[in-house]
Amino acid sequence: MIKHLRSAADLDAATATLILDTAAEMAALSGREVKKLPALRGRTVVNLFYEDSTRTRISFEAAAKRLSADVINFSAKGSSVSKGESLKDTALTLQAMGADAVVIRHSASGAPHRLAGWVDGSVVNAGDGTHEHPTQALLDAYTMRSRLGRLDGLRVAIVGDVLHSRVARSNVLLLTTLGAQVTVVGPPTLIPLDVAAALSSRTRVSYDLDAVLPDSDVVMMLRVQTERMQDSYFPSAREYSRRYGLDMPRMKKLPEHAIVMHPGPMNRGMEIAPEVADSPRSTIVEQVANGVSVRMAVLYLLLGGK
Amino acid sequence: MAQPRADAPSKIILADSDLHRVVDRIAHQILEKTSGATGTVLLGIPTRGVPLAHRLAARIHAFEGVDVPVGSLDITLYRDDLRLKATRALGKTELPAGGIDGLRIILVDDVLFSGRSVRAALDALKDLGRPSSVQLAVLVDRGHRQLPIRADYVGKNIPTALSESVKVALTEVDGADEVRLIGGLK
Amino acid sequence: MAYLLKDVSILGGSPTDLAIVDGVIAGDAPEGAEVIDATGLVALPGLVDVHTHLREPGREDAETVETGSRAAALGGYTAVCAMANTSPVADTAGVVEQVWRLGREAGLVDVQPIGAVTIGLAGKQLAELGAMASSAANVRIFSDDGFCVADPRLMRRALEYVKAFDGVIAQHAEEPRLTEGAQMHEGEVSTRLGLTGWPAVAEEAIIARDVLLAEHVGSRLHVCHVSTAGSVEVLRQAKARGVRVTAEVTPHHLLLTDELAAGYDPVFKVNPPLRTRSDVEALRQALLDGVIDVVATDHAPHAVQDKECEWAYARPGMLGLETALPIVLSVFGEKWDLIADRMSIAPARIAGLTGHGGDLSAGTPANLTLVDPSARRVVDPAELASRSRNTPYAGMTLPGRIVATFLRGEATVLDGKAVK
């Protein structure tokens, strides 16, 4: 098993599949009355959050607690972090406290890589800047597999602000590792350079959402921040929504079996219409539930053994 | 515990026909001891306990026409030696539709050795519900208990040295039915 | 003090004796001259760096004029041009004279201050360039390095104004609107790492503009740390047209690529950023062709806490003085005439340092360095004389060892060790 989960690129197909299989067992166990499992008794998991993200933090917290780990939440607000303590000094503190794993959310790309150099425990990337969010990609893959039965050969469209999206980067890496065909879709200003060369040769680029939808098994809508308008990535929210938003007429272009995903939080009416978000094809609520199982699997596989 | 080398000499303790007879005997004993296996659930411990549990259920059905529910109980997350080895993949835990509350549970495993797996299984069981009683059926008891645990049904007692190991093969998993004693021989 | 260098190879020529008497190269050594067995050693004119950050005043925790001078002497340098982005900024005669005086006191290399082009490097208003030129520091190079003089009108004025005292503007070519938040070269690797890209065009566009401006007003332009193949093409065309432009390349841009950012270790963060393999190849060829005139270190010391952090929060820059010649040797081999020209003669000419970059003939100032080209050295950050440790070459084995350096006949380095 790997020691850290810093990037979806840390996972080969076998390891990624093991995580998804383990998550399935964890999901089954989560259905019962006594949800707690003893596997990580006596282990300490630190949630080190430099960005507010209640949903991701509580998902990791629930996962660690269900495995009986001790959880310490170290958030940027109300701690020495906000007094300007460096990441390295914080790392040395966590090290002294005997953290077996540090789950880190940080606004700087690569912060988990730096942290892994300063602590002995495992480092789990819970989102770093505009780089990656590998557990989100795992839960997305898990959701696709449970809805559609497979990942190999699946056609996935990832739509929106790919340039700034850590969810998109991790998903492209993980899904292509697991045999899916990914198309990133958005205005050219929001598609990063050399995306296929940088991430995976199984990646295609399109600027035309309507052309991609009929050949997609999954369409994943990314959150688009309206502030991008100020930087001229697109002219207006209205134009963005018209060209790249998923509304009912567009959803009808999808094949019958296709599903609609969103990592949340959504801008209803911007990248996704409310009636699409609430339709039976949407997996948005499921994604949240699957998040706990996937994170349990990750923590167990990183910390459960020697 | 020390494992014999892979190329260590081995000998067959139970050939396939012996193994089938032993399974039949356990099935009979269960019927006898549980007054016809009513209110009983067989829970196999992965990996080889699960096919064994299914075989026992099939034999019980063949002998008396009784359908005993079968499930599997993975004990990985409850093991006390998790941290001594590399991370293990999880097995399946599947309870029969009727659950386990108020029923007689018979845990089924291939080899009874230190007793630690059975302890883990009892812990796992307690988180799943409240059976009226728990019994244990094993194909082989090789001795060397480290906990106060004994089996209710034993297919065969095989006295062993600690330097030896007992390897159960089942067609469903290994492609053949046999029990081998490995290592320790001259 | 007189020295006799026995059996030294001048620029790779056959072994001969070289005498140093009263600060100049002499025909014969007097009785009692200290004899140095220079068998196997190559004599080069003392190296000249047109781009050094000495950090004093302001960041003496990262480097001082003295520690930087020592690093320079150990690297074979006899003169360095100290960049203006200190605190306070070297934008007045007072600050440049202070730096110049500190250099004299250290006495290990000639420290030639560079003056800021604009007040506070803010790019709004010209600093008193004439006052700096006529100060004791005798400033001839002006640069806002670290920042680009982005306003085209201001750049034009600066280019014109310094003609009065034969000054030169050294431009840090970086279009600021194209590099907002930029962290590394924009390309495949930045996409993978999720770091904001610094596109090559941000450098090329400014160089293209500036060579046209320099051509228009008939001024000299110097381009700092050229880093892209596209910039090389712009320079090649400008030079072919006769534009008075010179350009420098750093040792790290001749060797390292953006792939090194993969581990997010900010020791590889530098501005302009490390580029691609094809850029490195183009820069090497440009230095061979003379399209790029000089190797300049952009020696940029940083305190530990400014590098032991997240990539985005780290300051850009790398140490360079003590490894420059070994890097150039490892890239180009023992091309001594090339090395002497690109690392001593041409930089001395650009900086107007008449006592440096000589030909080691009798009667010229004895500014020279002795190199053992057969020695190999593993770079150990702890052994560097710089006060900082941010070398990207840690653990690399590099050819060439500086055995001795002489500044106006006085040894600043002997047996590979600084004399003070």
Side-chain angles (χ1 to χ4, degrees):
Chain A
M1 190 55 200
I2 54 169
K3 165 135 196 224
H4 305 293
L5 182 57
R6 294 162 299 190
S7 158
D10 290 340
L11 303 172
D12 58 18
T15 310
T17 305
L18 174 64
I19 293 175
L20 299 182
D21 291 347
T22 306
E25 296 306 322
M26 295 294 184
L29 294 170
S30 297
R32 58 193 213 174
E33 221 152 279
V34 180
K35 292 190 167 54
K36 221 171 171 74
L37 295 158
L40 299 186
R41 217 152 52 95
R43 299 256 165 161
T44 301
V45 174
V46 175
N47 284 324
L48 178 60
F49 274 56
Y50 286 84
E51 282 185 338
D52 283 333
S53 173
T54 310
R55 41 199 295 152
T56 305
R57 186 182 56 73
I58 61 176
S59 181
F60 270 106
E61 187 171 350
K65 285 185 168 166
R66 282 188 191 172
L67 290 169
S68 304
D70 295 319
V71 179
I72 297 172
N73 288 315
F74 204 103
S75 82
K77 290 208 175 93
S79 74
S80 50
V81 171
S82 57
K83 294 175 193 126
E85 183 178 73
S86 73
L87 179 61
K88 186 174 182 186
D89 287 336
T90 302
L92 298 179
T93 306
L94 301 180
Q95 175 70 9
M97 282 164 41
D100 296 297
V102 182
V103 177
I104 179 172
R105 162 71 70 110
H106 201 294
S107 61
S109 299
H113 289 72
R114 299 295 283 154
L115 184 65
W118 296 321
V119 297
D120 291 336
S122 292
V123 171
V124 180
N125 183 357
D128 64 328
T130 52
H131 178 224
E132 285 207 46
H133 194 354
T135 60
Q136 176 72 41
L138 283 162
L139 77 88
D140 290 338
Y142 181 87
T143 305
M144 290 176 212
R145 198 176 73 162
S146 36
R147 275 284 189 117
L148 301 170
R150 71 194 163 100
L151 291 165
D152 191 40
L154 218 56
R155 299 161 303 171
V156 181
I158 300 179
V159 185
D161 184 359
V162 178
L163 179 64
H164 299 97
S165 174
R166 48 197 177 203
V167 175
R169 266 179 195 72
S170 287
N171 261 300
V172 169
L173 288 167
L174 181 72
L175 292 171
T176 52
T177 296
L178 292 169
Q181 165 73 56
V182 178
T183 305
V184 293
V185 187
T189 46
L190 292 175
I191 303 293
L193 280 185
D194 302 332
V195 64
L199 299 176
S200 162
S201 57
R202 299 174 65 100
T203 316
R204 291 182 198 150
V205 174
S206 171
Y207 308 131
D208 184 353
L209 180 57
D210 292 301
V212 171
L213 290 175
D215 297 318
S216 298
D217 303 306
V218 177
V219 57
M220 181 184 296
M221 305 307 295
L222 301 173
R223 179 179 170 81
V224 176
Q225 292 174 335
T226 42
E227 307 88 81
R228 303 286 176 222
M229 245 161 42
Q230 268 87 62
D231 287 333
S232 299
Y233 286 104
F234 50 87
S236 68
R238 193 173 59 177
E239 174 155 332
Y240 180 87
S241 180
R242 270 196 205 142
R243 292 179 67 85
Y244 296 103
L246 190 64
D247 55 11
M248 284 307 274
R250 279 217 170 95
M251 191 169 80
K252 293 203 169 74
K253 295 183 178 175
L254 284 166
E256 203 62 28
H257 64 273
I259 58 171
V260 175
M261 307 184 75
H262 194 298
M266 286 181 279
N267 288 315
R268 285 174 184 258
M270 174 78 174
E271 71 267 4
I272 190 163
E275 56 274 26
V276 174
D278 298 330
S279 80
R281 289 180 164 206
S282 153
T283 62
I284 294 160
V285 179
E286 250 168 275
Q287 286 171 265
V288 176
N290 293 339
V292 177
S293 304
V294 162
R295 287 168 181 132
M296 285 173 78
V298 167
L299 290 174
Y300 167 67
L301 292 169
L302 289 179
L303 297 184
K306 187 154 61 171
Chain B
M1 255 161 266
Q3 290 289 315
R5 289 165 42 198
D7 59 351
S10 69
K11 73 172 179 195
I12 292 180
I13 302 288
L14 296 175
D16 55 356
S17 54
D18 307 324
L19 195 150
H20 300 158
R21 268 193 296 278
V22 166
V23 171
D24 284 358
R25 192 175 71 242
I26 298 174
H28 278 299
Q29 287 173 347
I30 290 173
L31 281 166
E32 195 181 316
K33 223 169 160 178
T34 61
S35 317
T38 52
T40 301
V41 172
L42 293 167
L43 281 187
I45 298 175
T47 307
R48 291 176 185 75
V50 181
L52 270 180
H54 281 282
R55 289 193 191 190
L56 286 171
R59 299 315 291 155
I60 289 169
H61 180 84
F63 298 146
E64 304 262 329
V66 185
D67 283 320
V68 181
V70 181
S72 67
L73 178 67
D74 184 49
I75 60 165
T76 309
L77 295 170
Y78 292 85
R79 299 187 75 103
D80 62 6
D81 61 350
L82 268 182
R83 283 186 218 176
L84 304 178
K85 301 188 177 161
T87 314
R88 302 154 191 252
L90 301 189
K92 284 227 173 299
T93 294
E94 280 171 325
L95 298 188
I100 59 170
D101 286 353
L103 298 174
R104 177 191 298 111
I105 300 303
I106 302 178
L107 297 171
V108 182
D109 205 354
D110 54 351
V111 179
L112 178 59
F113 184 18
S114 67
R116 287 173 188 271
S117 298
V118 177
R119 184 209 57 83
L122 292 170
D123 285 351
L125 209 50
K126 149 194 102 180
D127 284 353
L128 289 167
R130 190 181 181 284
S132 65
S133 66
V134 182
Q135 299 181 340
L136 175 63
V138 298
L139 190 63
V140 173
D141 182 349
R142 62 165 291 193
H144 304 289
R145 211 76 73 244
Q146 295 166 353
L147 294 170
I149 280 168
R150 63 162 185 80
D152 301 87
Y153 314 96
V154 178
K156 188 168 176 65
N157 282 295
I158 304 177
T160 59
L162 275 173
S163 61
E164 295 168 322
S165 76
V166 174
K167 175 75 190 137
V168 172
L170 295 174
T171 313
E172 297 90 325
V173 182
D174 309 287
D177 282 345
E178 63 177 31
V179 178
R180 270 177 192 276
L181 184 64
I182 302 173
L185 302 172
K186 299 269 160 34
Chain C
M1 190 76 197
Y3 292 94
L4 178 62
L5 312 183
K6 292 284 289 178
D7 292 326
V8 70
S9 160
I10 297 172
L11 296 182
S14 355
T16 180
D17 292 351
L18 193 73
I20 300 173
V21 181
D22 295 334
V24 294
I25 309 286
D28 296 297
E31 271 314 292
E34 185 171 328
V35 177
I36 294 173
D37 178 7
T39 309
L41 304 185
V42 174
L44 291 172
L47 307 183
V48 176
D49 190 15
V50 295
H51 194 145
T52 307
H53 296 273
L54 293 177
R55 301 293 184 226
E56 189 175 1
R59 282 308 296 266
E60 291 82 356
D61 60 327
E63 196 79 289
T64 63
V65 171
E66 187 191 336
T67 59
S69 292
R70 190 169 296 119
L74 286 164
Y77 287 87
T78 53
V80 299
C81 298
M83 271 297 172
N85 62 338
T86 48
S87 177
V89 171
D91 57 2
T92 62
V95 179
V96 293
E97 285 188 352
Q98 183 198 354
V99 172
W100 176 76
R101 187 173 44 75
L102 288 166
R104 298 266 292 196
E105 285 167 8
L108 288 156
V109 290
D110 283 346
V111 174
Q112 173 57 52
I114 291 172
V117 177
T118 66
I119 295 172
L121 311 176
K124 299 287 184 213
Q125 198 182 341
L126 285 186
E128 289 187 350
L129 308 179
M132 291 189 272
S134 47
S135 73
N138 197 25
V139 176
R140 286 296 175 273
I141 302 179
F142 299 90
S143 180
D144 276 1
D145 182 60
F147 300 95
C148 183
V149 181
D151 178 341
R153 193 176 66 160
L154 190 62
M155 185 61 182
R156 174 203 169 140
R157 298 277 189 261
L159 286 166
E160 285 178 305
Y161 191 80
V162 299
K163 282 204 281 187
F165 35 86
D166 196 28
V168 62
I169 305 295
Q171 175 72 295
H172 171 113
E174 174 183 358
E175 161 52 49
R177 290 284 284 158
L178 287 174
T179 56
E180 274 173 29
Q183 296 295 330
M184 68 171 295
H185 173 65
E186 181 175 281
E188 191 184 317
V189 184
S190 68
T191 292
R192 185 159 66 237
L193 299 184
L195 290 169
T196 306
W198 198 128
V201 65
E203 174 175 305
E204 293 150 7
I206 291 292
I207 298 177
R209 181 200 76 177
D210 285 355
V211 295
L212 292 171
L213 284 174
E215 186 172 28
H216 181 60
V217 298
S219 292
R220 281 173 68 200
L221 167 71
H222 178 72
V223 183
C224 296
H225 41 53
V226 171
S227 69
T228 78
S231 298
V232 168
E233 282 320 301
V234 172
L235 289 166
R236 195 186 299 278
Q237 290 168 25
K239 285 194 163 187
R241 286 202 309 278
V243 180
R244 296 167 69 202
V245 59
T246 54
E248 69 189 39
V249 63
T250 67
H252 47 270
H253 286 112
L254 288 170
L255 186 69
L256 309 177
T257 65
D258 60 343
E259 290 285 348
L260 289 165
Y264 294 95
D265 184 344
V267 80
F268 299 110
K269 179 173 172 175
V270 65
N271 191 16
L274 300 178
R275 304 285 184 184
T276 65
R277 178 54 51 194
S278 60
D279 291 305
V280 168
E281 296 300 333
L283 294 168
R284 291 178 177 185
Q285 191 57 48
L287 191 73
L288 288 170
D289 296 346
V291 171
I292 291 176
D293 304 81
V294 305
V295 174
T297 66
D298 196 4
H299 177 80
H302 286 298
V304 172
Q305 68 271 19
D306 292 327
K307 285 289 190 183
E308 290 268 274
C309 60
E310 298 86 330
W311 179 282
Y313 303 162
R315 290 175 189 267
M318 301 172 165
L319 298 183
L321 287 169
E322 293 172 76
T323 45
L325 182 59
I327 296 291
V328 171
L329 271 173
S330 77
V331 170
F332 296 101
E334 297 179 24
K335 292 193 169 71
W336 299 111
D337 287 325
L338 177 87
I339 290 170
D341 183 72
R342 306 297 195 266
M343 297 187 77
S344 175
I345 299 165
R349 188 169 60 234
I350 290 167
L353 297 172
T354 46
H356 295 271
D359 58 4
L360 304 184
S361 61
T364 60
N367 294 315
L368 69 151
T369 188
L370 292 184
V371 187
D372 178 358
S374 64
R376 293 281 178 281
R377 189 175 63 143
V378 179
V379 180
D380 176 0
E383 285 178 1
L384 297 175
S386 169
R387 184 159 281 187
S388 294
R389 296 287 168 262
N390 54 305
T391 174
Y393 311 113
M396 283 178 61
T397 302
L398 296 175
R401 173 172 172 266
I402 309 299
V403 176
T405 307
F406 297 89
L407 175 64
R408 280 184 290 279
E410 297 296 323
T412 55
V413 173
L414 276 179
D415 288 332
K417 295 185 179 62
V419 296
K420 58 178 175 182

